[in-house]
Amino acid sequence: EPEVTQTPSHQVTQMGQEVILRCVPISNHLYFYWYRQILGQKVEFLVSFYNNEISEKSEIFDDQFSVERPDGSNFTLKIRSTKLEDSAMYFCASMLTFLGGTQYFGPGTRLLVL
Amino acid sequence: QKEVEQNSGPLSVPEGAIASLNCTYSDRGSQSFFWYRQYSGKSPELIMSIYSNGDKEDGRFTAQLNKASQYVSLLIRDSQPSDSATYLCAVVFSGGYNKLIFGAGTRLAVHP
């Protein structure tokens, strides 16, 4: 069964460093999402992406964040200058259709900012 | 403010019993509702989706939706210890691009 994959599974970085989180969505899916979950808190929406552009972003997704689909398979989230409060699990999700579509989540990247 | 509310639990049920998980949401125009299961340290795993009022059954799971009351529930029949996890209710609110708004989750503990 096709699944969403994410790399790396864990990343430790120093405050102020740039990180890139990578996702490979399910191959025929068209809609892509990033969510994050701070330890012990809700899963929160960050950004949605369709047709090579951002369709919606949350207040969390400020100028330090960017997303890109550099080729036909990868979908990346970049954090330019990490802060301590960026420490969280980051989940990528993909969806085939817009109306009534279901989002399938990748296994996540655990980011720890020291 | 668009919100999804769940009791945090833990909800403790004996093996073989029915577990009932509840969720309310604030946006009357919402059309899509999902239940995800999340084991500790893992990603959300889809259990059920429901879009119309009434019941939807899939194996041991039944989702129930009442849009007038802005209420969605999940019943797990014949609960097993492997069902012990956090169950997340997620709603697609009207006017967005299918972003999921999650509740905080209900922790379910099934004891032998």
Side-chain angles (χ1 to χ4, degrees), chain A residues 33 35 37 41-45 48 55-56 89 91 95 97-108 110, chain B residues 3-5 32 34 36 38 41-46 49 51 88 92 95-105:
Chain A
Y33 301 82
Y35 294 83
Q37 187 176 32
Q41 297 188 22
K42 294 182 183 184
V43 177
E44 301 174 287
F45 167 79
S48 59
S55 45
E56 188 174 5
M89 279 285 280
F91 299 113
M95 184 173 74
T97 59
F98 185 76
L99 290 176
T102 299
Q103 292 181 34
Y104 294 92
F105 283 72
R110 184 176 296 280
Chain B
E3 293 190 347
V4 177
E5 300 287 343
S32 303
F34 303 87
Y36 286 85
Q38 187 177 34
K42 303 295 185 184
S43 64
E45 173 193 6
L46 180 71
S49 60
Y51 306 100
L88 308 177
V92 174
Y97 286 85
N98 261 12
K99 69 181 179 192
L100 293 171
I101 304 297
F102 283 87

Side-chain angles (χ1 to χ4, degrees), chain B residues 2-101:
Chain B
K2 296 180 176 178
E3 293 190 347
V4 177
E5 300 287 343
Q6 297 181 255
N7 287 326
S8 61
L11 174 65
S12 182
V13 300
E15 185 174 355
I18 296 175
S20 177
L21 306 161
N22 304 314
C23 171
T24 58
Y25 58 94
S26 60
D27 180 15
R28 188 172 289 276
S30 300
Q31 295 295 323
S32 303
F33 308 87
F34 303 87
W35 283 100
Y36 286 85
R37 177 173 62 196
Q38 187 177 34
Y39 293 109
S40 182
K42 303 295 185 184
S43 64
E45 173 193 6
L46 180 71
I47 297 176
M48 297 276 292
S49 60
I50 187 165
Y51 306 100
S52 304
N53 279 329
D55 294 1
K56 179 182 178 183
E57 187 174 317
D58 184 0
R60 295 187 296 113
F61 299 96
T62 299
Q64 300 173 316
L65 175 61
N66 183 327
K67 290 184 180 180
S69 301
Q70 295 172 233
Y71 177 91
V72 58
S73 65
L74 180 70
L75 300 178
I76 307 175
R77 288 182 299 281
D78 188 24
S79 295
Q80 301 297 309
S82 58
D83 294 327
S84 298
T86 297
Y87 288 80
L88 308 177
C89 174
V91 178
V92 174
F93 286 96
S94 57
Y97 286 85
N98 261 12
K99 69 181 179 192
L100 293 171
I101 304 297

